[in-house]
Amino acid sequence: MIDPDGFRPNVGIVLMQRDGRVFWARRVWRDGWQFPQGGIHTDETPLEAMYRELREETGLLPQHVEVLGATPGWLRYRLPPHAIRTRDRLVCIGQKQVWFLLHFRGQDSDLRLDLTDTPEFDAWRWVPFWYPLTHVVAFKRGVYARALQHLAPLARMVAGPEAVPELATPHAHGPGPRSRQGKT
């Protein structure tokens, strides 16, 4: 489904532990890391799509998470020119997304990347809240910044201001990943 402006409706998922670290996953067959995200079907609300994508990409069920909030309205990003399929009947120039912040209430062992025939990710780890801003592919950085800035006050209510500090500069996200790599 692509809207008249060429954007595909999508949900993004920021899965956060109580200490403020967020789930960061590596795309299958690629070196790129990102948050879980996926398209919204025509018969779904953004919340329904979020729960479906959460299950498909991480193996988690609704009982493993608490929804802390979502971005209001759509946040958009454009695809780089080389990624736009101009031969398709409907040309998608980017994505418009609603981003959800989820408090992870499960155990690391609940995370399963292999529940579908075509997994999205092959590895994962927990990283500081602002880490993705300088480690996601360049064309998604703006939408990640807008989503995380909107969700940060909600994250602070769970993790505290030390775990989710105010973002002074793009490099104020703290050290790199601190925890183990997830099992595949």
Side-chain angles (χ1 to χ4, degrees):
M1 181 171 83
I2 299 171
D3 76 9
D5 295 324
F7 289 89
R8 179 175 171 243
N10 191 281
V11 294
I13 302 169
V14 180
L15 180 65
M16 184 186 77
Q17 289 188 323
R18 181 156 198 66
D19 65 5
R21 289 180 299 150
V22 294
F23 179 84
W24 193 234
R26 183 177 66 198
R27 303 270 320 264
V28 171
W29 305 111
R30 299 186 184 154
D31 194 30
W33 290 71
Q34 68 177 44
F35 289 130
Q37 69 176 61
I40 300 173
H41 297 163
T42 55
D43 62 342
E44 288 180 314
T45 66
L47 184 65
E48 291 168 337
M50 183 277 295
Y51 279 121
R52 178 183 48 75
E53 289 292 338
L54 182 71
R55 177 70 175 154
E56 289 174 5
E57 295 189 2
T58 69
L60 298 177
L61 298 169
Q63 63 262 29
H64 295 124
V65 299
E66 173 190 0
V67 177
L68 297 176
T71 56
W74 300 105
L75 300 179
R76 290 174 172 79
Y77 71 83
R78 290 181 174 269
L79 295 168
H82 71 273
I84 296 173
R85 295 181 214 138
T86 56
R87 296 182 198 270
D88 289 352
R89 187 175 61 84
L90 293 174
V91 176
C92 176
I93 64 165
Q95 306 226 9
K96 62 180 187 180
Q97 301 174 311
V98 174
W99 282 86
F100 290 88
L101 176 63
L102 307 181
H103 180 197
F104 180 54
R105 299 204 173 247
Q107 304 294 319
D108 283 358
S109 59
D110 295 323
L111 289 156
R112 296 271 319 272
L113 306 181
D114 59 353
L115 291 183
T116 65
D117 291 337
T118 56
E120 185 76 22
F121 304 119
D122 63 10
W124 61 270
R125 56 186 165 207
W126 297 106
V127 300
F129 189 83
W130 298 110
Y131 177 88
L133 292 186
T134 54
H135 292 84
V136 71
V137 65
F139 69 89
K140 291 185 181 181
R141 287 185 183 153
V143 78
Y144 271 50
R146 291 188 305 275
L148 288 176
Q149 287 170 342
H150 177 81
L151 298 171
L154 301 170
R156 278 186 207 101
M157 291 172 46
V158 171
E162 294 80 27
V164 185
E166 293 292 331
L167 183 62
T169 69
H171 301 288
H173 61 272
R178 295 180 302 207
S179 66
R180 69 176 178 82
Q181 179 116 349
K183 295 179 183 175
T184 57

mmCIF file of all heavy atoms in Angstrom, residues 1-10 37-40 75-97 139-140:
data_model
loop_
_atom_site.group_PDB
_atom_site.id
_atom_site.type_symbol
_atom_site.label_atom_id
_atom_site.label_comp_id
_atom_site.label_asym_id
_atom_site.label_seq_id
_atom_site.Cartn_x
_atom_site.Cartn_y
_atom_site.Cartn_z
ATOM 1 N N MET A 1 0.845 -1.178 0.000
ATOM 2 C CA MET A 1 0.000 0.000 0.000
ATOM 3 C C MET A 1 0.891 1.242 0.000
ATOM 4 O O MET A 1 1.757 1.386 0.858
ATOM 5 C CB MET A 1 -0.899 -0.033 1.239
ATOM 6 C CG MET A 1 -1.830 1.138 1.328
ATOM 7 S SD MET A 1 -3.060 0.970 2.627
ATOM 8 C CE MET A 1 -2.157 1.522 4.047
ATOM 9 N N ILE A 2 0.689 2.110 -0.945
ATOM 10 C CA ILE A 2 1.467 3.345 -1.072
ATOM 11 C C ILE A 2 0.478 4.497 -1.177
ATOM 12 O O ILE A 2 -0.490 4.426 -1.945
ATOM 13 C CB ILE A 2 2.397 3.287 -2.296
ATOM 14 C CG1 ILE A 2 3.389 2.130 -2.132
ATOM 15 C CG2 ILE A 2 3.131 4.603 -2.490
ATOM 16 C CD1 ILE A 2 4.211 1.833 -3.360
ATOM 17 N N ASP A 3 0.705 5.567 -0.421
ATOM 18 C CA ASP A 3 -0.222 6.700 -0.454
ATOM 19 C C ASP A 3 -0.010 7.514 -1.741
ATOM 20 O O ASP A 3 0.947 7.280 -2.484
ATOM 21 C CB ASP A 3 -0.112 7.532 0.824
ATOM 22 C CG ASP A 3 1.113 8.421 0.903
ATOM 23 O OD1 ASP A 3 1.860 8.575 -0.097
ATOM 24 O OD2 ASP A 3 1.354 8.976 1.986
ATOM 25 N N PRO A 4 -0.896 8.474 -2.024
ATOM 26 C CA PRO A 4 -0.789 9.249 -3.265
ATOM 27 C C PRO A 4 0.522 10.032 -3.414
ATOM 28 O O PRO A 4 0.918 10.362 -4.523
ATOM 29 C CB PRO A 4 -1.984 10.211 -3.198
ATOM 30 C CG PRO A 4 -2.952 9.535 -2.283
ATOM 31 C CD PRO A 4 -2.128 8.777 -1.289
ATOM 32 N N ASP A 5 1.201 10.303 -2.291
ATOM 33 C CA ASP A 5 2.471 11.028 -2.347
ATOM 34 C C ASP A 5 3.673 10.103 -2.540
ATOM 35 O O ASP A 5 4.805 10.565 -2.605
ATOM 36 C CB ASP A 5 2.666 11.855 -1.075
ATOM 37 C CG ASP A 5 1.626 12.944 -0.941
ATOM 38 O OD1 ASP A 5 1.226 13.524 -1.980
ATOM 39 O OD2 ASP A 5 1.208 13.219 0.193
ATOM 40 N N GLY A 6 3.432 8.786 -2.569
ATOM 41 C CA GLY A 6 4.511 7.829 -2.789
ATOM 42 C C GLY A 6 5.131 7.251 -1.528
ATOM 43 O O GLY A 6 6.177 6.603 -1.587
ATOM 44 N N PHE A 7 4.480 7.456 -0.364
ATOM 45 C CA PHE A 7 5.008 6.938 0.894
ATOM 46 C C PHE A 7 4.233 5.697 1.342
ATOM 47 O O PHE A 7 3.005 5.661 1.272
ATOM 48 C CB PHE A 7 4.947 8.005 1.995
ATOM 49 C CG PHE A 7 5.923 9.115 1.790
ATOM 50 C CD1 PHE A 7 5.580 10.229 1.040
ATOM 51 C CD2 PHE A 7 7.200 9.047 2.332
ATOM 52 C CE1 PHE A 7 6.481 11.255 0.831
ATOM 53 C CE2 PHE A 7 8.108 10.078 2.128
ATOM 54 C CZ PHE A 7 7.750 11.182 1.379
ATOM 55 N N ARG A 8 4.965 4.701 1.807
ATOM 56 C CA ARG A 8 4.375 3.455 2.296
ATOM 57 C C ARG A 8 4.131 3.580 3.801
ATOM 58 O O ARG A 8 5.067 3.861 4.556
ATOM 59 C CB ARG A 8 5.335 2.301 2.019
ATOM 60 C CG ARG A 8 4.848 0.963 2.494
ATOM 61 C CD ARG A 8 5.838 -0.130 2.041
ATOM 62 N NE ARG A 8 5.497 -1.382 2.664
ATOM 63 C CZ ARG A 8 6.283 -2.039 3.506
ATOM 64 N NH1 ARG A 8 7.480 -1.561 3.807
ATOM 65 N NH2 ARG A 8 5.897 -3.177 4.034
ATOM 66 N N PRO A 9 2.884 3.373 4.272
ATOM 67 C CA PRO A 9 2.604 3.413 5.711
ATOM 68 C C PRO A 9 3.336 2.293 6.442
ATOM 69 O O PRO A 9 3.380 1.151 5.979
ATOM 70 C CB PRO A 9 1.095 3.224 5.800
ATOM 71 C CG PRO A 9 0.571 3.557 4.444
ATOM 72 C CD PRO A 9 1.674 3.188 3.485
ATOM 73 N N ASN A 10 3.891 2.628 7.588
ATOM 74 C CA ASN A 10 4.817 1.734 8.271
ATOM 75 C C ASN A 10 4.784 2.023 9.770
ATOM 76 O O ASN A 10 4.386 3.109 10.179
ATOM 77 C CB ASN A 10 6.200 2.048 7.684
ATOM 78 C CG ASN A 10 7.280 1.086 8.042
ATOM 79 O OD1 ASN A 10 7.818 1.140 9.137
ATOM 80 N ND2 ASN A 10 7.633 0.234 7.106
ATOM 81 N N GLN A 37 10.827 -2.650 12.209
ATOM 82 C CA GLN A 37 9.837 -1.818 11.523
ATOM 83 C C GLN A 37 9.180 -2.648 10.443
ATOM 84 O O GLN A 37 9.705 -3.674 10.030
ATOM 85 C CB GLN A 37 10.478 -0.572 10.915
ATOM 86 C CG GLN A 37 11.396 -0.852 9.736
ATOM 87 C CD GLN A 37 11.936 0.419 9.115
ATOM 88 O OE1 GLN A 37 12.617 1.177 9.778
ATOM 89 N NE2 GLN A 37 11.635 0.631 7.843
ATOM 90 N N GLY A 38 8.018 -2.212 9.991
ATOM 91 C CA GLY A 38 7.358 -2.936 8.918
ATOM 92 C C GLY A 38 6.082 -2.256 8.470
ATOM 93 O O GLY A 38 5.561 -1.358 9.142
ATOM 94 N N GLY A 39 5.582 -2.702 7.328
ATOM 95 C CA GLY A 39 4.425 -2.089 6.704
ATOM 96 C C GLY A 39 3.121 -2.351 7.436
ATOM 97 O O GLY A 39 2.976 -3.337 8.163
ATOM 98 N N ILE A 40 2.193 -1.445 7.228
ATOM 99 C CA ILE A 40 0.844 -1.571 7.773
ATOM 100 C C ILE A 40 -0.053 -2.115 6.662
ATOM 101 O O ILE A 40 -0.115 -1.536 5.575
ATOM 102 C CB ILE A 40 0.311 -0.199 8.253
ATOM 103 C CG1 ILE A 40 1.217 0.373 9.342
ATOM 104 C CG2 ILE A 40 -1.131 -0.324 8.744
ATOM 105 C CD1 ILE A 40 0.864 1.803 9.751
ATOM 106 N N LEU A 75 5.807 10.274 10.685
ATOM 107 C CA LEU A 75 7.171 10.759 10.471
ATOM 108 C C LEU A 75 7.628 10.132 9.160
ATOM 109 O O LEU A 75 7.489 8.920 8.969
ATOM 110 C CB LEU A 75 8.091 10.331 11.619
ATOM 111 C CG LEU A 75 7.712 10.818 13.015
ATOM 112 C CD1 LEU A 75 8.711 10.294 14.040
ATOM 113 C CD2 LEU A 75 7.628 12.323 13.068
ATOM 114 N N ARG A 76 8.195 10.935 8.279
ATOM 115 C CA ARG A 76 8.549 10.440 6.940
ATOM 116 C C ARG A 76 10.057 10.435 6.703
ATOM 117 O O ARG A 76 10.768 11.273 7.230
ATOM 118 C CB ARG A 76 7.904 11.327 5.874
ATOM 119 C CG ARG A 76 6.414 11.189 5.774
ATOM 120 C CD ARG A 76 5.819 12.215 4.800
ATOM 121 N NE ARG A 76 4.420 11.976 4.546
ATOM 122 C CZ ARG A 76 3.437 12.309 5.363
ATOM 123 N NH1 ARG A 76 3.698 12.905 6.495
ATOM 124 N NH2 ARG A 76 2.176 12.045 5.047
ATOM 125 N N TYR A 77 10.475 9.476 5.869
ATOM 126 C CA TYR A 77 11.822 9.531 5.314
ATOM 127 C C TYR A 77 11.765 9.098 3.865
ATOM 128 O O TYR A 77 10.907 8.319 3.467
ATOM 129 C CB TYR A 77 12.832 8.699 6.113
ATOM 130 C CG TYR A 77 12.706 7.202 6.014
ATOM 131 C CD1 TYR A 77 13.268 6.493 4.952
ATOM 132 C CD2 TYR A 77 12.054 6.470 7.005
ATOM 133 C CE1 TYR A 77 13.174 5.111 4.872
ATOM 134 C CE2 TYR A 77 11.958 5.097 6.940
ATOM 135 C CZ TYR A 77 12.517 4.416 5.876
ATOM 136 O OH TYR A 77 12.422 3.051 5.796
ATOM 137 N N ARG A 78 12.677 9.649 3.082
ATOM 138 C CA ARG A 78 12.778 9.309 1.665
ATOM 139 C C ARG A 78 13.875 8.271 1.460
ATOM 140 O O ARG A 78 14.907 8.317 2.118
ATOM 141 C CB ARG A 78 13.098 10.545 0.826
ATOM 142 C CG ARG A 78 11.954 11.512 0.743
ATOM 143 C CD ARG A 78 12.336 12.709 -0.138
ATOM 144 N NE ARG A 78 11.200 13.572 -0.331
ATOM 145 C CZ ARG A 78 10.329 13.455 -1.344
ATOM 146 N NH1 ARG A 78 10.498 12.522 -2.245
ATOM 147 N NH2 ARG A 78 9.319 14.274 -1.449
ATOM 148 N N LEU A 79 13.633 7.381 0.526
ATOM 149 C CA LEU A 79 14.642 6.404 0.130
ATOM 150 C C LEU A 79 15.699 7.089 -0.726
ATOM 151 O O LEU A 79 15.385 8.051 -1.446
ATOM 152 C CB LEU A 79 13.990 5.275 -0.678
ATOM 153 C CG LEU A 79 12.993 4.402 0.070
ATOM 154 C CD1 LEU A 79 12.210 3.531 -0.917
ATOM 155 C CD2 LEU A 79 13.705 3.535 1.090
ATOM 156 N N PRO A 80 16.932 6.602 -0.681
ATOM 157 C CA PRO A 80 17.931 7.146 -1.619
ATOM 158 C C PRO A 80 17.538 6.763 -3.049
ATOM 159 O O PRO A 80 16.882 5.740 -3.263
ATOM 160 C CB PRO A 80 19.230 6.473 -1.173
ATOM 161 C CG PRO A 80 18.826 5.289 -0.379
ATOM 162 C CD PRO A 80 17.465 5.563 0.185
ATOM 163 N N PRO A 81 17.918 7.565 -4.024
ATOM 164 C CA PRO A 81 17.498 7.310 -5.413
ATOM 165 C C PRO A 81 17.773 5.879 -5.897
ATOM 166 O O PRO A 81 16.947 5.307 -6.605
ATOM 167 C CB PRO A 81 18.293 8.337 -6.220
ATOM 168 C CG PRO A 81 18.531 9.459 -5.258
ATOM 169 C CD PRO A 81 18.710 8.798 -3.914
ATOM 170 N N HIS A 82 18.898 5.297 -5.509
ATOM 171 C CA HIS A 82 19.216 3.939 -5.992
ATOM 172 C C HIS A 82 18.279 2.875 -5.418
ATOM 173 O O HIS A 82 18.199 1.774 -5.956
ATOM 174 C CB HIS A 82 20.673 3.587 -5.687
ATOM 175 C CG HIS A 82 20.946 3.355 -4.237
ATOM 176 N ND1 HIS A 82 21.276 4.382 -3.377
ATOM 177 C CD2 HIS A 82 20.914 2.224 -3.486
ATOM 178 C CE1 HIS A 82 21.448 3.894 -2.156
ATOM 179 N NE2 HIS A 82 21.223 2.592 -2.193
ATOM 180 N N ALA A 83 17.543 3.184 -4.353
ATOM 181 C CA ALA A 83 16.648 2.210 -3.726
ATOM 182 C C ALA A 83 15.198 2.328 -4.210
ATOM 183 O O ALA A 83 14.357 1.514 -3.850
ATOM 184 C CB ALA A 83 16.694 2.359 -2.208
ATOM 185 N N ILE A 84 14.906 3.331 -5.013
ATOM 186 C CA ILE A 84 13.544 3.529 -5.522
ATOM 187 C C ILE A 84 13.352 2.668 -6.767
ATOM 188 O O ILE A 84 14.126 2.752 -7.720
ATOM 189 C CB ILE A 84 13.288 5.015 -5.843
ATOM 190 C CG1 ILE A 84 13.378 5.837 -4.550
ATOM 191 C CG2 ILE A 84 11.920 5.194 -6.506
ATOM 192 C CD1 ILE A 84 13.299 7.336 -4.767
ATOM 193 N N ARG A 85 12.332 1.823 -6.724
ATOM 194 C CA ARG A 85 12.030 0.939 -7.853
ATOM 195 C C ARG A 85 11.087 1.670 -8.815
ATOM 196 O O ARG A 85 9.871 1.618 -8.651
ATOM 197 C CB ARG A 85 11.399 -0.356 -7.362
ATOM 198 C CG ARG A 85 12.339 -1.174 -6.523
ATOM 199 C CD ARG A 85 11.673 -2.471 -6.088
ATOM 200 N NE ARG A 85 12.169 -2.799 -4.771
ATOM 201 C CZ ARG A 85 11.440 -3.249 -3.773
ATOM 202 N NH1 ARG A 85 10.159 -3.449 -3.926
ATOM 203 N NH2 ARG A 85 11.981 -3.518 -2.613
ATOM 204 N N THR A 86 11.651 2.326 -9.792
ATOM 205 C CA THR A 86 10.851 3.150 -10.703
ATOM 206 C C THR A 86 10.060 2.321 -11.708
ATOM 207 O O THR A 86 9.160 2.838 -12.357
ATOM 208 C CB THR A 86 11.754 4.142 -11.455
ATOM 209 O OG1 THR A 86 12.773 3.412 -12.137
ATOM 210 C CG2 THR A 86 12.365 5.144 -10.495
ATOM 211 N N ARG A 87 10.347 1.048 -11.832
ATOM 212 C CA ARG A 87 9.620 0.196 -12.787
ATOM 213 C C ARG A 87 8.333 -0.369 -12.197
ATOM 214 O O ARG A 87 7.524 -0.933 -12.912
ATOM 215 C CB ARG A 87 10.509 -0.949 -13.265
ATOM 216 C CG ARG A 87 11.715 -0.480 -14.036
ATOM 217 C CD ARG A 87 12.524 -1.690 -14.513
ATOM 218 N NE ARG A 87 13.861 -1.314 -14.880
ATOM 219 C CZ ARG A 87 14.223 -0.938 -16.097
ATOM 220 N NH1 ARG A 87 13.336 -0.868 -17.047
ATOM 221 N NH2 ARG A 87 15.473 -0.626 -16.348
ATOM 222 N N ASP A 88 8.141 -0.235 -10.880
ATOM 223 C CA ASP A 88 6.917 -0.720 -10.243
ATOM 224 C C ASP A 88 5.724 0.125 -10.686
ATOM 225 O O ASP A 88 5.874 1.310 -11.012
ATOM 226 C CB ASP A 88 7.032 -0.669 -8.717
ATOM 227 C CG ASP A 88 7.997 -1.706 -8.167
ATOM 228 O OD1 ASP A 88 8.468 -2.562 -8.950
ATOM 229 O OD2 ASP A 88 8.270 -1.670 -6.952
ATOM 230 N N ARG A 89 4.543 -0.480 -10.661
ATOM 231 C CA ARG A 89 3.321 0.232 -11.037
ATOM 232 C C ARG A 89 3.105 1.443 -10.129
ATOM 233 O O ARG A 89 2.824 2.534 -10.580
ATOM 234 C CB ARG A 89 2.125 -0.722 -10.962
ATOM 235 C CG ARG A 89 0.836 -0.125 -11.485
ATOM 236 C CD ARG A 89 -0.299 -1.128 -11.516
ATOM 237 N NE ARG A 89 -0.628 -1.662 -10.214
ATOM 238 C CZ ARG A 89 -1.437 -1.069 -9.336
ATOM 239 N NH1 ARG A 89 -1.989 0.086 -9.615
ATOM 240 N NH2 ARG A 89 -1.696 -1.636 -8.171
ATOM 241 N N LEU A 90 3.228 1.238 -8.823
ATOM 242 C CA LEU A 90 3.164 2.326 -7.852
ATOM 243 C C LEU A 90 4.572 2.557 -7.321
ATOM 244 O O LEU A 90 5.170 1.652 -6.745
ATOM 245 C CB LEU A 90 2.224 1.967 -6.702
ATOM 246 C CG LEU A 90 0.745 1.830 -7.053
ATOM 247 C CD1 LEU A 90 -0.043 1.338 -5.844
ATOM 248 C CD2 LEU A 90 0.200 3.161 -7.538
ATOM 249 N N VAL A 91 5.111 3.725 -7.508
ATOM 250 C CA VAL A 91 6.479 4.017 -7.099
ATOM 251 C C VAL A 91 6.484 4.493 -5.647
ATOM 252 O O VAL A 91 5.806 5.449 -5.290
ATOM 253 C CB VAL A 91 7.115 5.072 -8.024
ATOM 254 C CG1 VAL A 91 8.510 5.440 -7.534
ATOM 255 C CG2 VAL A 91 7.172 4.541 -9.453
ATOM 256 N N CYS A 92 7.258 3.789 -4.830
ATOM 257 C CA CYS A 92 7.421 4.136 -3.418
ATOM 258 C C CYS A 92 8.699 4.961 -3.284
ATOM 259 O O CYS A 92 9.787 4.481 -3.577
ATOM 260 C CB CYS A 92 7.511 2.870 -2.567
ATOM 261 S SG CYS A 92 7.826 3.186 -0.827
ATOM 262 N N ILE A 93 8.546 6.210 -2.811
ATOM 263 C CA ILE A 93 9.713 7.077 -2.653
ATOM 264 C C ILE A 93 10.225 7.108 -1.220
ATOM 265 O O ILE A 93 11.266 7.690 -0.939
ATOM 266 C CB ILE A 93 9.417 8.512 -3.125
ATOM 267 C CG1 ILE A 93 8.340 9.161 -2.263
ATOM 268 C CG2 ILE A 93 9.063 8.536 -4.605
ATOM 269 C CD1 ILE A 93 8.239 10.663 -2.423
ATOM 270 N N GLY A 94 9.462 6.489 -0.303
ATOM 271 C CA GLY A 94 9.876 6.481 1.101
ATOM 272 C C GLY A 94 8.822 5.874 1.996
ATOM 273 O O GLY A 94 7.872 5.251 1.522
ATOM 274 N N GLN A 95 8.996 6.068 3.276
ATOM 275 C CA GLN A 95 8.069 5.512 4.256
ATOM 276 C C GLN A 95 7.529 6.623 5.141
ATOM 277 O O GLN A 95 8.230 7.598 5.429
ATOM 278 C CB GLN A 95 8.793 4.478 5.113
ATOM 279 C CG GLN A 95 9.462 3.433 4.279
ATOM 280 C CD GLN A 95 9.230 2.028 4.761
ATOM 281 O OE1 GLN A 95 8.444 1.764 5.641
ATOM 282 N NE2 GLN A 95 9.932 1.097 4.155
ATOM 283 N N LYS A 96 6.284 6.451 5.564
ATOM 284 C CA LYS A 96 5.727 7.308 6.604
ATOM 285 C C LYS A 96 5.419 6.373 7.766
ATOM 286 O O LYS A 96 4.847 5.298 7.575
ATOM 287 C CB LYS A 96 4.510 8.090 6.125
ATOM 288 C CG LYS A 96 3.310 7.256 5.704
ATOM 289 C CD LYS A 96 2.184 8.171 5.248
ATOM 290 C CE LYS A 96 0.911 7.402 4.969
ATOM 291 N NZ LYS A 96 -0.177 8.281 4.531
ATOM 292 N N GLN A 97 5.856 6.773 8.951
ATOM 293 C CA GLN A 97 5.845 5.849 10.079
ATOM 294 C C GLN A 97 5.212 6.453 11.324
ATOM 295 O O GLN A 97 5.331 7.644 11.584
ATOM 296 C CB GLN A 97 7.281 5.454 10.443
ATOM 297 C CG GLN A 97 8.018 4.788 9.310
ATOM 298 C CD GLN A 97 9.467 4.536 9.656
ATOM 299 O OE1 GLN A 97 10.173 5.416 10.123
ATOM 300 N NE2 GLN A 97 9.911 3.313 9.421
ATOM 301 N N PHE A 139 20.216 7.612 5.508
ATOM 302 C CA PHE A 139 18.934 8.161 5.069
ATOM 303 C C PHE A 139 17.814 7.997 6.099
ATOM 304 O O PHE A 139 16.770 8.629 5.977
ATOM 305 C CB PHE A 139 18.513 7.608 3.694
ATOM 306 C CG PHE A 139 18.129 6.151 3.665
ATOM 307 C CD1 PHE A 139 16.825 5.755 3.897
ATOM 308 C CD2 PHE A 139 19.076 5.185 3.349
ATOM 309 C CE1 PHE A 139 16.457 4.421 3.831
ATOM 310 C CE2 PHE A 139 18.732 3.851 3.280
ATOM 311 C CZ PHE A 139 17.411 3.466 3.533
ATOM 312 N N LYS A 140 18.040 7.193 7.150
ATOM 313 C CA LYS A 140 17.031 7.038 8.207
ATOM 314 C C LYS A 140 17.338 7.883 9.443
ATOM 315 O O LYS A 140 16.541 7.926 10.369
ATOM 316 C CB LYS A 140 16.923 5.568 8.633
ATOM 317 C CG LYS A 140 16.317 4.669 7.576
ATOM 318 C CD LYS A 140 16.125 3.271 8.108
ATOM 319 C CE LYS A 140 15.552 2.355 7.045
ATOM 320 N NZ LYS A 140 15.342 0.990 7.564
#
